[in-house]
Amino acid sequence: MMKPAYVRVIIDRGIRRELDYSVPDTLADRIAIGSRVRVPFRDKSALATVLATLDQSDAKGIRPIEALVGEAPTVSPSLLELAHWMSAYYCCPLEAVMRSLLPQVIRRAEISWKKQLVVQPLAKIDNGEIEKLRRRAPRQAELLEAIAKLEKPISAAQLLRESSLDNQTLRALAKRGLIELREEAIERDPHADEQFIASANLELNPEQVAALKKVTDALATPDRAKPILLHGVTGSGKTEIYLQAIRNALDRGRSAIVLVPEISLTPQTVEHFKSRFAEMHEVVAVLHSHLSQGERHDEWHKIHSGRARIVIGARSAVFAPLKDIGLIIVDEEHETTYKQEEAPRYHARDVAVVRAKLEKCAVVLGSATPSLESYHNATTGKYDLVALTQRVDERQMPVMRIVDLRQERRKAKIAPILSEKLSQAIANRLEKREQTILFLNRRGFSTSLLCSNCGQARNCPNCSVALTFHRHPSVAGRLSCHLCGHTAAVPKKCPECGKDALIYAGFGTEKVESTVSQLFPKATVRRMDADSMTRKDAYRETLRNFRTGKIDILVGTQMIAKGLDFPNVTLVGIINADLALHLPDFRAGERTFQLLTQVAGRAGRGETPGEVFVQTYTPFSPSIQFARHHDFAGYFQQELEFRERCDFPPFKHAMLITVRSEHEGRAKLSAETLVRRLRESLPTEFTLSDATPAPLEKLQGQFRFHILVRGQAIMRLSRLVRETLEKLPLPEDVIATVDVDPYQLL
Ligand SMILES: [Zn+2]
Ligand SMILES: [Zn+2]
């Protein structure tokens, strides 16, 4: 290979331009595409990634690279290609993509390996030396004696712990030249103190056998294979298929990435994988947001060096620097948390499919409630569809009962939190010593503080939403905003009209917890939501206590809806199924169907069949009815017709442009100007909305306007929108963001 004379780089700052630098002779042997380098930029230095090597460059005033950061190239050519695709598709600068692609700790290269001091065993033991020492320095003699007995190197910390001697004594021995100390890099392993007992393959039922074969066929001929959508009802044993497919990939000398939603990345999930591959030390790496910077550094290098062959992680693990990837699995592919809500606003499932194509490997998307997009891809032949219609061990699907809250309200005059039927069912479970999960997708105690005289609610001063009342001591009986974190004291009188007429309205998980505790004083009730789980290990602890039967009733938000498997849970109560249905979002029906099916799936995972109570004011809404009958096909058909009628995904791509500013007038004017420019530059195949106030008009002190664009050719649309935005000078305090395939329409 010729030594490169120049390189083209993208620096880590938002300058939206690639730059050329010359390569000093001393670095020429080691620089390659994907290397990280330090370069002079203006009058400072900046970190950058090498995008291309060049024989010549027309750039003026070219300067040399200052240094190479790290030895081997950090970003593989296929990951670089993926970055370019993301930049074009998501209408997002390449440097922003690179920021997501490389963890900060790797990008900045500030943290290195943790070092530990290691004591070497002594080659020959001189008893005379020990005796001589014993008179002058008895503690040193004692330690030397201990070292004399060593058979293999030992960490200094462990030696001192075992001998109850101190560091000073150890240093003194080293100074006398009697022992040898060495520094060694060690890995920070977040699972170091856990034991994993090897687990064997489970026996598969005929449906699972067929599904596994489909995946292993794709592994054998990745060039010809399509993405596989694994549609398996809750409890149908998808994880076992993943595990056996990964084994197959490893046997072929390939590696695997498993994406799971952050919330499902529980100790239980990690244990599943670590146990199955327990005989291979270090083979499983775990990437999630709770890793320390040091741990993240070590896991990344374990993957990059090829020691780890299986990566399990949340969204960003789709960028894991694995080599020879054979299989990418996206579990719970319908999960909206795969979508990143800041630039680059990518969807990890879609990125996974593209990465699989670039890496020439198999990709499996699994779900009990596939997204409309993926299922549509499967029915139109773009993906292969594999269905698991049976629960393992022939367990029954739970029975779903709909409770009409309108009737309950008529009976009781007020809207009850727990209907009579649901209360009876809970009492019945407590008697039988079975467990209950109660689900409500809303935190807090009361969702708003209203004035019964003038009707004013207490709103957040920064956002256009009502403040939520929390009773829990951690927020000390205050009102708080769930969007920006603003808190306020509860006023004694209405600040608007001065009357002492404030009432609490609506309810959240806190209120459910306290109501249930009052109704069933003997039961142990716990709550699991973002408020009660602020301590790092609170989540693990609550799950463990629930699993071991120390908790009778668990109340919670989404946190308890996902992938958890508790054999003794025979009752699930959905306190209010309508919460998602009334959002101004074309996916509202899809979300409700998915949520009901997923939450219901927590019931009856053991021997006893499960029962689900769905409380709702809209018992005949299609999402609720289809979920009730476990009728995915029926739900899919009617939802698809609605989307086609309205030109929504999967028929057209959507792009949401948000223009925001602290100044309402300037935000509005900029949004309207942008719409005019887009009308000029976009061909008529794209439909463009007017600039309208966002449903959430004000967020964190900024006024927000939306422009919705729809069309088929998304790459072309992204390019045209980027060009239009680049030519439109926005006032300094106005920001325009582009979200391709948006999930958050508020
Ligand atoms: Zn008032
Ligand atoms: Zn707020």
Side-chain angles (χ1 to χ4, degrees):
M1 201 181 80
M2 275 245 305
K3 289 181 183 178
Y6 300 96
V7 286
R8 183 153 296 162
V9 307
I10 182 93
I11 67 170
D12 288 0
R13 298 189 202 166
I15 59 160
R16 294 173 182 248
R17 215 150 39 86
E18 294 166 11
L19 301 170
D20 289 359
Y21 288 89
S22 63
V23 180
D25 275 349
T26 49
L27 293 181
D29 285 336
R30 290 181 290 153
I31 291 240
I33 293 171
S35 290
R36 293 281 291 166
V37 289
R38 185 180 296 283
V39 295
F41 179 66
R42 296 183 185 143
D43 53 355
K44 294 204 183 77
S45 327
L47 290 168
T49 308
V50 174
L51 298 177
T53 54
L54 313 166
D55 295 334
Q56 52 190 52
S57 166
D58 309 331
K60 295 210 173 62
I62 222 162
R63 292 195 276 175
I65 292 174
E66 288 172 359
L68 181 68
V69 179
E71 277 305 312
T74 307
V75 187
S76 70
S78 64
L79 271 176
L80 261 187
E81 204 178 335
L82 185 69
H84 282 292
W85 176 86
M86 286 175 66
S87 170
Y89 185 95
Y90 291 109
C91 194
C92 170
L94 186 61
E95 57 263 32
V97 176
M98 296 306 292
R99 271 201 299 278
S100 270
L101 204 125
L102 283 178
Q104 185 185 324
V105 57
I106 301 302
R107 234 171 33 238
R108 299 213 179 138
E110 281 162 359
I111 289 183
S112 189
W113 298 98
K114 188 171 165 185
K115 295 280 174 32
Q116 74 170 7
L117 216 49
V118 175
V119 183
Q120 296 293 100
L122 293 171
K124 59 178 179 53
I125 305 147
D126 189 342
N127 280 324
E129 197 75 45
I130 297 178
E131 287 315 312
K132 245 185 353 201
L133 204 56
R134 206 182 293 284
R135 287 190 296 276
R136 280 176 297 152
R139 291 203 309 202
Q140 288 179 30
E142 194 186 326
L143 188 58
L144 189 61
E145 234 182 332
I147 295 171
K149 288 183 193 136
L150 291 179
E151 277 163 11
K152 54 182 194 319
I154 181 175
S155 86
Q158 192 189 341
L159 175 72
L160 294 177
R161 207 165 45 237
E162 285 172 4
S163 60
S164 318
L165 289 161
D166 58 16
N167 197 29
Q168 214 182 338
T169 316
L170 184 70
R171 294 279 173 191
L173 284 177
K175 213 168 157 194
R176 284 178 197 275
L178 293 172
I179 59 163
E180 192 197 331
L181 294 176
R182 209 157 37 81
E183 266 204 335
E184 247 176 30
I186 54 159
E187 258 168 32
R188 288 155 280 222
D189 180 356
H191 300 279
D193 50 355
E194 290 163 44
Q195 291 281 324
F196 295 99
I197 300 158
S199 70
N201 283 359
L202 301 179
E203 202 174 314
L204 303 181
N205 65 31
E207 274 187 347
Q208 285 176 304
V209 170
L212 180 62
K213 179 161 189 312
K214 193 88 195 171
V215 182
T216 51
D217 284 352
L219 270 161
T221 55
D223 284 347
R224 274 177 285 144
K226 296 175 188 173
I228 296 167
L229 178 63
L230 179 60
H231 176 206
V233 297
T234 53
S236 60
K238 290 188 286 291
T239 307
E240 186 58 31
I241 294 173
Y242 301 156
L243 289 166
Q244 297 194 22
I246 292 169
R247 174 71 72 186
N248 188 289
L250 294 190
D251 289 347
R252 292 172 188 277
R254 314 286 297 268
S255 58
I257 297 178
V258 184
L259 299 185
V260 297
E262 177 86 43
I263 213 163
S264 309
L265 200 51
T266 58
Q268 196 187 356
T269 310
V270 171
E271 195 188 323
H272 253 122
F273 286 85
K274 290 235 177 196
S275 301
R276 185 59 62 86
F277 301 98
E279 85 285 0
M280 283 179 273
H281 189 53
E282 293 197 318
V283 79
V284 180
V286 183
L287 295 174
H288 58 75
S289 61
H290 294 306
L291 294 180
S292 69
Q293 292 289 45
E295 287 167 351
R296 190 176 303 280
H297 167 274
D298 294 0
E299 291 291 274
W300 192 91
H301 278 286
K302 205 165 104 179
I303 300 165
H304 189 250
S305 68
R307 275 179 296 138
R309 307 290 291 154
I310 304 166
V311 177
I312 306 172
R315 188 169 59 217
S316 64
V318 72
F319 306 121
L322 264 184
K323 292 177 189 80
D324 307 315
I325 303 177
L327 177 63
I328 303 178
I329 293 165
V330 184
D331 192 27
E332 310 283 345
E333 66 86 28
H334 64 278
E335 262 297 321
T336 51
T337 53
Y338 282 129
K339 171 81 176 173
Q340 176 153 297
E341 292 299 345
E342 58 200 57
R345 294 177 172 76
Y346 68 93
H347 196 298
R349 172 200 60 218
D350 300 339
V351 171
V353 170
V354 175
R355 183 162 189 201
K357 201 162 132 195
L358 295 173
E359 305 273 5
K360 297 190 174 54
C361 75
V363 58
V364 177
L365 315 177
S367 175
T369 51
S371 64
L372 223 66
E373 284 86 346
S374 294
Y375 203 79
H376 184 64
N377 280 334
T379 52
T380 53
K382 206 171 151 192
Y383 293 175
D384 276 331
L385 180 64
V386 184
L388 300 175
T389 59
Q390 304 297 315
R391 284 188 151 188
V392 290
D393 302 337
E394 285 151 10
R395 280 174 201 149
Q396 297 294 306
M397 290 300 282
V399 179
M400 276 187 140
R401 304 188 195 286
I402 310 289
V403 180
D404 187 345
L405 285 177
R406 295 171 307 177
Q407 284 179 18
E408 295 284 321
R409 186 179 222 158
R410 253 172 253 138
K411 272 190 290 183
K413 295 282 188 278
I414 50 151
I417 290 176
L418 293 184
S419 59
E420 229 177 274
K421 287 174 197 151
L422 181 51
S423 308
Q424 275 167 10
I426 296 173
N428 175 274
R429 290 320 187 284
L430 288 171
E431 237 164 67
K432 289 198 279 185
R433 305 205 53 81
E434 293 170 6
Q435 290 170 301
T436 299
I437 287 178
L438 295 177
F439 175 84
L440 180 66
N441 211 1
R442 197 161 59 185
R443 297 187 281 133
F445 194 81
S446 298
T447 44
S448 56
L449 186 60
L450 292 171
C451 172
S452 60
N453 183 51
C454 70
Q456 288 283 338
R458 304 307 311 144
N459 279 337
C460 174
N462 311 319
C463 316
S464 42
V465 292
L467 294 171
T468 299
F469 176 64
H470 290 258
R471 215 168 60 169
H472 194 263
S474 66
V475 270
R478 287 170 74 86
L479 298 167
S480 89
C481 172
H482 287 172
L483 296 175
C484 73
H486 171 86
T487 69
V490 178
K492 290 223 159 48
K493 289 174 182 161
C494 172
E496 301 294 323
C497 69
K499 282 264 162 52
D500 184 7
L502 294 174
I503 50 163
Y504 292 103
F507 58 88
T509 41
E510 251 185 70
K511 181 79 171 273
V512 175
E513 182 192 16
S514 84
T515 307
V516 173
S517 300
Q518 278 165 20
L519 270 175
F520 305 103
K522 283 188 190 141
T524 311
V525 184
R526 287 287 176 277
R527 176 166 53 95
M528 203 150 111
D529 58 24
D531 298 315
S532 66
M533 295 293 128
T534 44
R535 242 177 353 109
K536 197 183 165 191
D537 49 349
Y539 183 70
R540 274 176 185 229
E541 199 178 297
T542 305
L543 287 184
R544 192 167 49 236
N545 288 339
F546 193 51
R547 184 175 310 283
T548 52
K550 287 183 191 142
I551 298 171
D552 301 307
I553 303 170
L554 190 63
V555 178
T557 53
Q558 286 99 311
M559 252 186 207
I560 56 173
K562 318 292 185 199
L564 300 174
D565 190 352
F566 303 105
N568 199 34
V569 173
T570 56
L571 175 66
V572 168
I574 294 163
I575 303 293
N576 184 341
D578 306 331
L579 283 183
L581 267 179
H582 304 301
L583 291 175
D585 182 340
F586 67 87
R587 287 197 180 86
E590 179 177 11
R591 281 188 186 156
T592 302
F593 179 85
Q594 287 170 347
L595 202 61
L596 292 186
T597 309
Q598 296 284 344
V599 177
R602 303 307 117 226
R605 313 268 296 193
E607 311 277 299
T608 329
E611 197 176 21
V612 182
F613 283 81
V614 181
Q615 303 192 139
T616 171
Y617 286 100
T618 53
F620 298 108
S621 98
S623 319
I624 292 177
Q625 284 299 327
F626 285 122
R628 176 191 185 178
H629 298 293
H630 310 290
D631 182 4
F632 181 86
Y635 142 79
F636 172 75
Q637 203 45 50
Q638 76 92 34
E639 184 70 25
L640 200 70
E641 280 163 21
F642 155 71
R643 299 282 184 90
E644 185 160 31
R645 231 175 18 248
C646 305
D647 257 354
F648 276 124
F651 296 96
K652 292 277 172 70
H653 281 284
M655 173 192 273
L656 185 68
I657 305 175
T658 305
V659 180
R660 59 185 158 92
S661 169
E662 279 176 25
H663 301 273
E664 188 171 9
R666 280 212 276 278
K668 184 165 187 278
L669 193 69
S670 301
E672 285 165 355
T673 313
L674 180 55
V675 168
R676 270 202 308 280
R677 297 286 165 83
L678 286 171
R679 284 209 199 292
E680 291 159 15
S681 57
L682 294 184
T684 49
E685 61 171 288
F686 299 107
T687 47
L688 182 65
S689 79
D690 288 328
T692 52
L696 191 61
E697 274 184 72
K698 197 179 172 197
L699 178 65
Q700 296 175 344
Q702 299 203 306
F703 293 90
R704 307 159 73 246
F705 287 83
H706 275 171
I707 303 162
L708 189 68
V709 196
R710 276 173 284 173
Q712 219 114 46
I714 189 68
M715 284 293 201
R716 182 156 176 241
L717 177 61
S718 278
R719 182 171 52 78
L720 292 168
V721 168
R722 186 171 58 240
E723 287 167 6
T724 310
L725 276 169
E726 276 166 7
K727 278 185 279 182
L728 178 73
L730 291 171
E732 226 174 49
D733 54 356
V734 176
I735 292 167
T737 58
V738 180
D739 189 353
V740 174
D741 303 337
Y743 275 71
Q744 196 60 262
L745 298 175
L746 290 178

